[in-house]
Every structure is written in structure tokens, then in C-alpha cells.
Amino acid sequence: MEDILVPIGVVGMLFIGLPWLILHYSTQWKRAGSMTREDEDLLDELYDTARRLDDRMNTIERIMAADNPEWARERALRHEAPREERIEERFEDRIAEQDVSRAERRR
């Protein structure tokens, strides 16, 4: 009797257990590939916080430029893009990423 149970168990594992395992984890990977609503809310909150911190940095830079004109010249010599331009570039990238993720969710 034991000679029959072992092959039946092996065949059961191969034809039932293995496909179930593969299908289970493939659906889990597909679900994990997209952002949840909580993730989007957190990303929005982090973006707002970064925007406020950047506004504060701009204020500090204006104060430093008013107090020390040499500092402003040194910054200009380094050819840094103004903060506003860098923030706008990041904002446009973020909007494009959200559009892509929304399009993926609609499919």
C-alpha cells in the first residue's frame, strides 16, 4: 500500500501544489507592482513637506544674499540653477509619473 501512496502524493504535489504555488505568487507580484491609495497619499504628503522645506531654503538664500553679496556671487559662479527651476522640473516629472500610474490602473 505504501508503494502506491508515495507516487500519488508526488503526482498530487506536482500537478496541484506546484501550479497553485506559482499562480498564488504571480498574483501577489502583480498586486505589489502598483501603488496603493495609502502609498499615493503618503507620497503627496511627502511632496508637500518637501515643497515647504524648499520654500524655507529659498527664504534663507534670499536672507543670505541680502546680508552677504559675496555669497550670491559665489553661488552664481558655481552656475547652479535657481531652486525654483529645479523644483519645477521635479514637479513635472512627478506629474508625468502619476499619469503613467493612473493609466496602468485603468487597464
Side-chain angles (χ1 to χ4, degrees):
M1 188 68 170
E2 277 184 32
D3 296 335
I4 296 174
L5 291 178
V6 172
I8 290 175
V10 170
V11 169
M13 281 190 246
L14 283 176
F15 289 105
I16 295 172
L18 189 59
W20 176 84
L21 191 66
I22 291 169
L23 291 173
H24 171 74
Y25 282 107
S26 68
T27 56
Q28 294 297 322
W29 291 328
K30 286 179 185 177
R31 255 191 247 151
S34 62
M35 289 179 59
T36 63
R37 183 69 195 150
E38 292 83 20
D39 292 340
E40 288 181 6
D41 291 341
L42 179 61
L43 186 61
D44 288 338
E45 183 181 332
L46 290 173
Y47 179 75
D48 292 337
T49 302
R51 185 81 163 170
R52 285 195 316 267
L53 290 173
D54 193 59
D55 290 341
R56 292 176 185 172
M57 284 297 298
N58 287 335
T59 303
I60 291 170
E61 288 175 356
R62 283 195 308 267
I63 292 169
M64 289 182 69
D67 287 346
N68 184 4
E70 291 299 318
W71 180 83
R73 285 189 202 119
E74 289 175 16
R75 183 168 186 242
L77 289 175
R78 287 185 284 173
H79 301 292
E80 287 185 4
R83 264 188 191 283
E84 292 82 17
E85 290 177 18
R86 293 188 309 228
I87 288 296
E88 288 304 318
E89 288 172 5
R90 282 186 253 146
F91 180 71
E92 291 168 0
D93 291 343
R94 183 171 176 264
I95 294 298
E97 288 173 3
Q98 284 181 344
D99 291 342
V100 168
S101 67
R102 286 184 185 131
E104 289 175 353
R105 275 188 268 146
R106 288 182 188 147
R107 284 190 243 162

